[in-house]
Amino acid sequence: MRWFIRWVGLAAAILFLAARVPVSSQTTPTVAFRIIVVDSRDAAERILARLRSGENFVALAAEVSADPSASNGGLVGPLPLSDLRPQIRSVLDALRPGELSGVITLPTGFGILKLVPGADVAPTGTIATASGGPTVMGSVPSDLSAAGSVRYVADVSGYIETVLALRNVKMTVEDSQDLAKFCDVRKQLVASAQRLVQETLSSKAAASMVPIDHAQAYVLQSQLHAFRGDMAPAIASLQQASKIADAQVPALRLQLIEALGVAHLHKAEQDNGVYQRSTELDLLPPRQGLRFTKTADLMSAIQYFTRYLREAPDEYEVRWLLNVAHMYAGTYPGSVPKAHLIPPTAFTSAEQVGRFVDVAERAGLHSVSLSGGVIVDDFDGDGRLDVVLSSIDSCAPLRYFRRTEDGGFIEQAAHAGLGDQLGGLNILQTDYNNDGHLDILVLRGGWESPQRKSLLRNNGDGTFTDVTASSGLASVITGTQAAVWVDFDNDGFLDLFVGNENGAPQLFHNRGDGTFEDVAVKAGVTRRGFTKGVTAADYDNDGWPDLYVSNLGGTNFLYRNNHNGTFTEFGRGAGVPGPGQGFPTWFFDYDNDGYEDLFVGSFVTSVDETARAYLHLPRNGQTLKLYRNLHDGSFQDVTRDAGLDKSMMVMGANFGDIDNDGFLDMYLGTGNPSYAALVPSLLLRNVAHGGGRTFVDVTASSGTGELHKGHGVAFADLDNDGDEDLVFEVGGATPGDAHALRLFENPGNGNDWITLKLVGVKTNRAAIGARITVTVENANGTRTIHRSVNSGGSFGASPLQQHIGLGAGARRVDVEIWWPTSNTRQRFPDVGKNRFLEITEFGAEPRALNRPPLPFAR
């Protein structure tokens, strides 16, 4: 193990520095190249040997590469050479046309480059597609891009270093299926790396290192301490690196000053308890009178940021962090130098929606976790919504909080048989076997290395059984966080589509006997990408669900259902190519016209872009995307008109109706592994008086601007009082960034509502994909509200029961259900309002459900 940790350590330090080197503003030549990216150095070396023996690069890229360019034979460009990371530029500069590089390290894996002669590529700005036509390349993939027009966040976390090392661990197939084994490997890996770096720096060889290598070694040591959250030794190592840089490596000096500021700021947060308990200290904007009580490290952070800005006053990331530090200190805005102030007016909301108060601890939902998923649904059939949580931490078990009759929650994972289900970046609920009990799917390996999924069958007695192997879902191990349950062939059984990062997607057909078969190749859904989000809906209203795939880098895919078990990719033709840096995605009818629209979040990991947005400066990064369904099989990009022209680092996200006006709102969790990524999550309200066509930021007025990493998001009426609360799993990717769960209680709004639980008979029992139309009559006339049964967005699953806001003063409420498998419609006139109803396919009447209010325990 020692040899590869040594190599990874050096490569990781280079990555830390290379991404921060300023790019020349001079015009540089354009370049085109092909690339293959895989998830381990050993695999890359084997592929390089095959290429050197004469195998075709284009065919091999399409076969094995995890890069979004795989479907184009690995072709990237032509594009300006200056847009690439310095590390990539230096490799390409050394190549002649047609030559292969050696194996190089990238944030997403290990790559091989081949310089392409100019005559072999399409005109500048395009890449040749597999179908032969040109495709506009909107941006450089994030793993290749330089910090040029977009200034990517400074990485202080140690996450990249540990992931690179993890990808090089050789594990047998049997070990990869063993969750406890994976936990042990992860723990040993970090400890071994720390010992090796310490031995290197303590040896006589350290004195003979060239200054830049010596400084990098201390940076690596600091990163490994920071990974665990040991910020005092992390700061000490950065100080050693800074001494070397001050004396001998001036090019690194400013980078290390910022890193020291970030490290002190993170330590100040730890010392003041903002990670371990739900507080309002880390909400943006801050409430008057709140401040840190332990300020020594906070003052150090302010000093480092101020020192940095004296030399580089236009660095908006550091300006942002300086303002945040002063907010923590209670000295904002008065003590922030005017030249660097982000004014309080930048954080105000244009509309008031009432303040959402965090009641997680009071309700008994106390969980401190890394990034992960959340499900809110009724797993024990008692009519009360429970909460299930997962974590990217390979050693952390699932947590299962069961709702009690008195309104509190009790943790029962061990009792439910979930105590040995370790890790999991995302989780989803389903009823895959149509037995009326909700099951759980756990997805693992996203960002890191392939790990097995878990399908956990609900036994109906409060326990779960792991049926992954017997169901056939363990046949191929992948790295993923993205999946969707969908009955793609309308046979009444839910199938599973999985988007992967290290290979082709999987489409598991449910045989109806508890087992699945991967039919992705037969179905034609094999396009590769670094997939971060998938969703399903019947976007063309033809009775058959379609699929959408969101990729981090490159084009997204829209698979239109051909009604015969196959799909046709139609993303560009339908006008939904995505932002180029795609992440969370979902279909929803945001304007209530009866056709599913499409949202795609962008993942631009830049604090600089966030600061620019609040200062109303031009953005550089890709925006979120909102595509409006035009009813003819195509979509219109209405991002700007909808007020979503924002460049953000969106991760966990979901949608719901916070004010019961019948129009769907959204909550976007933000972040990045770096401890510098302190940007608020956003609550965006769909403006009803604008016909549901625009969104307004109500983060400040709602009090939901959590600064730390946002992952699992679920909208749910947990207390049965008729409005949707927000369950928000907060936490980063490293042990040093674990955070307390938040439960933001909805303050109420006075509008009417109805909650519908659908039960399929011929359609799948969970009714996923069924369509609801509610017609509401009030003083202003009659309108329709449309919903599809699903669990919502990415990194979070809302209940499958559908909470539907009706607006004010509803006089008459009619409900129509369309069941996709039976292709039948049920119409129920005048069902009443402010009540819970169950509707069964083919049933004569809705059944009223007794769901008394459950105030959160005090």
Side-chain angles (χ1 to χ4, degrees):
M1 182 173 289
R2 292 172 65 87
W3 69 268
F4 81 77
I5 291 180
R6 186 181 300 278
W7 173 84
V8 166
L10 177 59
I14 292 171
L15 282 170
F16 170 78
L17 298 166
R20 310 294 293 165
V21 175
V23 178
S24 170
S25 61
Q26 296 179 355
T27 301
T28 58
T30 59
V31 66
F33 58 94
R34 295 189 187 276
I35 186 169
I36 292 174
V37 179
V38 291
D39 59 6
S40 75
R41 172 166 278 271
D42 284 347
E45 293 286 4
R46 290 194 297 270
I47 291 166
L48 182 59
R50 292 170 64 182
L51 291 169
R52 286 173 174 168
S53 69
E55 286 201 42
N56 185 282
F57 196 110
V58 173
L60 201 51
E63 176 189 344
V64 302
S65 181
D67 191 76
S69 63
S71 60
N72 306 306
L75 183 61
V76 177
L79 45 78
L81 192 63
S82 61
D83 283 358
L84 298 168
R85 288 177 178 267
Q87 175 199 17
I88 305 298
R89 293 205 306 268
S90 64
V91 172
L92 292 173
D93 280 341
L95 295 178
R96 290 177 295 182
E99 281 189 337
L100 294 168
S101 73
V103 175
I104 62 173
T105 306
L106 301 166
T108 53
F110 300 86
I112 302 163
L113 306 180
K114 180 180 181 180
L115 190 62
V116 176
D120 292 349
V121 296
T124 300
T126 66
I127 58 175
T129 66
S131 60
T135 298
V136 175
M137 184 60 123
S139 66
V140 184
S142 62
D143 53 344
L144 309 180
S145 175
S149 56
V150 174
R151 187 181 189 277
Y152 293 98
V153 62
D155 179 40
V156 178
S157 71
Y159 183 65
I160 291 176
E161 290 80 352
T162 58
V163 168
L164 289 174
L166 184 64
R167 289 176 179 173
N168 278 271
V169 175
K170 294 181 179 180
M171 296 183 68
T172 66
V173 174
E174 292 75 15
D175 284 346
S176 296
Q177 297 277 5
D178 188 336
L179 300 179
K181 182 75 170 183
F182 204 91
C183 164
D184 289 341
V185 167
R186 187 64 171 267
K187 288 190 293 187
Q188 294 171 17
L189 192 65
V190 176
S192 297
Q194 286 185 313
R195 285 196 302 270
L196 178 60
V197 175
Q198 179 59 43
E199 290 169 5
T200 302
L201 287 169
S202 302
S203 68
K204 293 181 180 179
S208 61
M209 284 183 179
V210 296
I212 190 169
D213 286 345
H214 201 182
Q216 287 173 343
Y218 277 113
V219 169
L220 177 56
Q221 184 181 56
S222 174
Q223 291 286 77
L224 293 172
H225 285 305
F227 176 82
R228 287 183 162 176
D230 299 331
M231 299 313 296
I235 289 168
S237 296
L238 282 176
Q239 289 171 334
Q240 292 295 326
S242 186
K243 288 178 183 178
I244 297 170
D246 286 346
Q248 298 174 286
V249 195
L252 305 185
R253 196 171 55 81
L254 273 182
Q255 298 170 44
L256 291 169
I257 289 173
E258 180 182 1
L260 278 162
V262 172
H264 277 287
L265 184 58
H266 191 73
K267 186 174 183 297
E269 292 178 310
Q270 290 177 323
D271 291 346
N272 285 274
V274 300
Y275 291 97
Q276 295 301 310
R277 295 188 61 192
S278 298
T279 74
E280 293 194 337
L281 286 168
D282 52 341
L283 297 180
L284 190 76
R287 298 199 78 167
Q288 192 73 24
L290 293 178
R291 65 187 63 191
F292 283 4
T293 57
K294 300 176 182 179
T295 60
D297 283 283
L298 195 57
M299 294 302 104
S300 294
I302 289 172
Q303 290 170 7
Y304 277 114
F305 295 144
T306 303
R307 178 180 166 191
Y308 185 107
L309 290 168
R310 280 200 293 266
E311 299 186 44
D314 295 329
E315 289 288 356
Y316 292 108
E317 173 174 299
V318 182
R319 287 178 62 181
W320 175 271
L321 293 172
L322 176 65
N323 280 261
V324 169
H326 275 289
M327 291 176 188
Y328 283 158
T331 54
Y332 171 90
S335 296
V336 182
K338 289 186 178 179
H340 307 316
L341 178 66
I342 300 174
T345 54
F347 303 112
T348 57
S349 294
E351 295 187 2
Q352 300 297 314
V353 295
R355 193 165 184 91
F356 287 63
V357 177
D358 185 355
V359 296
E361 192 166 334
R362 185 209 311 167
L365 271 177
H366 183 65
S367 174
V368 178
S369 173
L370 305 190
S371 56
V374 59
I375 305 171
V376 179
D377 220 315
D378 181 6
F379 285 95
D380 54 6
D382 64 0
R384 299 184 291 271
L385 296 175
D386 311 304
V387 177
V388 180
L389 306 171
S390 69
S391 171
I392 194 175
D393 182 350
S394 304
C395 301
L398 292 184
R399 305 202 72 190
Y400 173 37
F401 290 90
R402 183 174 173 271
R403 195 73 189 274
T404 61
E405 292 183 7
D406 65 0
F409 289 88
I410 56 173
E411 212 287 318
Q412 290 196 317
H415 172 77
L418 301 175
D420 59 352
Q421 292 295 326
L422 307 178
L425 190 53
N426 199 8
I427 48 178
L428 299 167
Q429 82 273 44
T430 187
D431 183 358
Y432 79 95
N433 56 0
N434 287 344
D435 66 354
H437 306 297
L438 289 178
D439 315 296
I440 299 173
L441 176 73
V442 184
L443 302 172
R444 300 183 177 91
W447 297 115
E448 298 188 342
S449 62
Q451 299 175 49
R452 77 169 177 91
K453 310 170 187 69
S454 286
L455 178 60
L456 308 175
R457 185 187 64 209
N458 190 330
N459 298 320
D461 60 0
T463 67
F464 294 80
T465 298
D466 189 333
V467 296
T468 316
S470 62
S471 70
L473 294 186
S475 56
V476 177
I477 298 172
T478 64
T480 184
Q481 63 187 41
V484 63
W485 290 98
V486 55
D487 184 3
F488 78 90
D489 55 355
N490 272 339
D491 67 353
F493 289 92
L494 286 167
D495 312 299
L496 178 65
F497 179 74
V498 181
N500 294 309
E501 297 176 1
N502 64 319
Q506 297 160 301
L507 178 59
F508 292 102
H509 177 246
N510 190 332
R511 294 188 177 107
D513 61 359
T515 67
F516 295 82
E517 175 191 8
D518 188 353
V519 297
V521 173
K522 178 181 176 181
V525 292
T526 56
R527 293 203 176 194
R528 291 169 177 257
F530 196 79
T531 299
K532 304 306 290 182
V534 296
T535 186
D538 178 10
Y539 81 89
D540 50 4
N541 284 359
D542 65 356
W544 296 80
D546 313 292
L547 303 169
Y548 188 76
V549 180
S550 178
N551 298 314
L552 184 60
T555 301
N556 293 352
F557 311 136
L558 174 64
Y559 289 111
R560 185 174 59 189
N561 197 319
N562 296 325
H563 312 174
N564 61 1
T566 70
F567 294 80
T568 299
E569 203 288 310
F570 202 59
R572 286 198 175 276
V576 289
Q581 290 293 96
F583 210 103
T585 187
W586 59 72
F587 285 104
F588 69 152
D589 188 357
Y590 80 98
D591 55 359
N592 277 327
D593 65 355
Y595 283 80
E596 298 281 356
D597 310 298
L598 182 63
F599 172 81
V600 190
S602 61
F603 189 57
V604 181
T605 56
S606 171
V607 175
D608 175 89
E609 290 293 300
T610 297
R612 287 176 174 274
Y614 280 93
L615 289 167
H616 304 291
L617 297 173
R619 59 166 181 78
N620 295 314
Q622 300 95 323
T623 71
L624 311 171
K625 288 294 181 182
L626 180 64
Y627 296 111
R628 182 171 177 265
N629 195 319
L630 296 179
H631 308 180
D632 61 358
S634 68
F635 295 78
Q636 177 187 7
D637 186 340
V638 294
T639 306
R640 184 180 294 275
D641 292 342
L644 297 176
D645 188 30
K646 304 172 186 291
S647 178
M648 299 176 60
M649 52 179 95
V650 183
M651 298 189 300
N654 214 325
F655 60 89
D657 185 358
I658 61 167
D659 49 7
N660 283 344
D661 65 357
F663 290 96
L664 291 169
D665 316 299
M666 62 179 82
Y667 188 61
L668 308 181
T670 61
N672 166 273
S674 175
Y675 300 156
L678 292 171
V679 296
S681 296
L682 297 184
L683 184 59
L684 304 176
R685 178 175 180 261
N686 191 339
V687 181
H689 56 73
R693 296 294 182 88
T694 59
F695 291 81
V696 62
D697 187 340
V698 294
T699 306
S701 64
S702 64
T704 56
E706 168 63 61
L707 278 170
H708 294 105
K709 317 307 188 309
H711 272 261
V713 177
F715 287 74
D717 183 8
L718 269 174
D719 50 0
N720 291 346
D721 66 350
D723 49 47
E724 290 192 298
D725 312 297
L726 276 172
V727 181
F728 188 28
E729 185 170 39
V730 186
T734 68
D737 212 8
H739 197 286
L741 176 85
R742 288 194 179 275
L743 168 54
F744 289 114
E745 183 179 12
N746 195 316
N749 46 69
N751 286 337
D752 295 316
W753 54 275
I754 190 169
T755 295
L756 302 177
K757 177 184 178 181
L758 303 191
V759 180
V761 176
K762 188 173 182 180
T763 300
N764 68 87
R765 180 73 176 262
I768 290 174
R771 304 284 285 270
I772 301 170
T773 301
V774 176
T775 303
V776 184
E777 178 188 329
N778 60 18
N780 296 320
T782 301
R783 67 179 178 121
T784 56
I785 300 166
H786 298 274
R787 295 288 185 271
S788 293
V789 177
N790 58 58
S791 58
S794 298
F795 280 125
S798 300
L800 293 176
Q801 67 180 29
Q802 296 298 299
H803 177 94
I804 302 169
L806 304 174
R811 297 173 177 173
R812 178 186 170 98
V813 181
D814 300 335
V815 172
E816 177 178 299
I817 311 297
W818 177 56
W819 299 92
T821 299
S822 62
N823 193 23
T824 58
R825 295 180 187 272
Q826 293 171 293
R827 295 177 177 86
F828 302 106
D830 203 10
V831 299
K833 63 182 182 180
N834 301 338
R835 59 195 308 221
F836 296 86
L837 298 175
E838 179 178 277
I839 297 176
T840 300
E841 188 175 15
F842 309 123
E845 296 292 337
R847 182 170 73 94
L849 299 175
N850 181 26
R851 300 282 175 83
L854 285 172
F856 298 114
R858 297 181 182 276

